[in-house]
Amino acid sequence: MSWVRGICLAVDLFQVGFPLSLSLSLSLAYLILMRLQNHLGGIWWDKAHTQKATASNAGPVIAALQLYEHLKDSSYSTFALRVYNYWFDNMVNKANYQVCDHINPNGEKVWWVFSYNEGLMLGASVEMYRLTKNTTYLNIAQKIVDFIRTAETILDTKYGTVLFDGSGCSGDCNEFKGITFRYLTEFYKLQTELNLTGDRDSLAFLQSNVNALWNLARNSNNLFATNWLGPPLAIGQSCYQSQQNSAVMALNLFVVAVNKIWSFLVPCCCM
């Protein structure tokens, strides 16, 4: 559903190509809503029905609510509410608000600790609040943030608490922290809009991440290590676009969130 998000964002930014962009968004939404839903609840990861994952449920909730914002078609908000409720009721540990990575067809739940699971459910909770103004979603969002900051971070003595998906993070995991950072940023923005206590603490957490990322994970070629606490990549060492995507996403989101160009981001990294 990241395509739907991207198309909606392009429409908002450029105000051009709306009919074609909307058509593409609706086609993608239709594929997921009509072909991958399961009558028992939740959305399959793929056509082969190998699993249902947080990425294939919380992500479509966010995308559906963005389509609702553009089209005011209640079928999208109804879909989002149904999928969100199923995933929250069945795949969130109410003791600590960890979000289940995925569930297999035999009913086995797999509780891998990857920050993007909580990040996506956080984003879905923020969007559900924006739709309903029900503070229940705010409370859920805060508890998910608490889990992220307790279980999916590492402490640096200089820069503070920084997102961490484990020392073995590779493959798809390279990009997870950027996704999590996106929705931590959305939560911070909502806190500031509502004048909620805790916004300064949220800002400090975001700042810790970008400070560490820029100062500890970046090498002289402006390429970033997967671990935001470093060490930086050696010159000539192979790396993946996904880890660069994650880093640049976080840096750009932070600048937008605080509406200020911070001195540590100059010169701008070019990819």
Side-chain angles (χ1 to χ4, degrees), residues 4-111:
V4 176
R5 177 184 175 85
I7 291 168
C8 289
L9 179 60
V11 169
D12 290 340
L13 287 175
F14 302 112
Q15 296 296 310
V16 295
F18 189 80
L20 176 60
S21 298
L22 185 61
S23 174
L24 291 170
S25 294
L26 291 174
S27 296
L28 289 163
Y30 176 82
L31 175 66
I32 291 178
L33 270 63
M34 303 306 294
R35 300 195 63 181
L36 298 181
Q37 283 191 83
N38 179 270
H39 71 282
L40 298 176
I43 302 172
W44 291 106
W45 175 258
D46 51 24
K47 290 183 182 180
H49 295 180
T50 59
Q51 62 178 245
K52 298 174 190 174
T54 292
S56 65
N57 282 268
V61 168
I62 296 169
L65 290 175
Q66 290 175 336
L67 285 173
Y68 171 75
E69 181 181 353
H70 283 78
L71 302 172
K72 303 307 179 188
D73 181 342
S74 62
S75 65
Y76 292 108
S77 57
T78 299
F79 161 82
L81 180 62
R82 181 170 64 251
V83 175
Y84 180 95
N85 285 342
Y86 171 81
W87 208 253
F88 178 76
D89 290 345
N90 294 280
M91 307 299 169
V92 176
N93 182 344
K94 306 309 185 298
N96 61 6
Y97 280 74
Q98 180 184 359
V99 181
C100 184
D101 184 83
H102 67 273
I103 183 171
N104 293 321
N106 64 3
E108 176 193 12
K109 295 179 182 180
V110 180
W111 294 89

Side-chain angles (χ1 to χ4, degrees), residues 109-131:
K109 295 179 182 180
V110 180
W111 294 89
W112 290 339
V113 181
F114 288 130
S115 65
Y116 89 136
N117 290 317
E118 286 71 36
L120 285 167
M121 200 62 183
L122 169 62
S125 301
V126 167
E127 292 300 326
M128 288 299 295
Y129 172 79
R130 291 190 186 280
L131 172 71

Side-chain angles (χ1 to χ4, degrees), residues 236-253:
Q237 181 180 350
S238 62
C239 63
Y240 297 92
Q241 180 176 332
S242 55
Q243 69 200 71
Q244 309 311 313
N245 293 346
S246 183
V248 173
M249 184 190 309
L251 294 172
N252 280 285
L253 287 166

Side-chain angles (χ1 to χ4, degrees), residues 177-196:
K177 290 188 294 296
I179 296 168
T180 308
F181 193 93
R182 174 183 296 282
Y183 296 112
L184 286 167
T185 303
E186 289 299 317
F187 181 63
Y188 164 69
K189 287 159 62 177
L190 184 60
Q191 285 180 304
T192 59
E193 290 168 16
L194 300 176
N195 294 314
L196 298 177

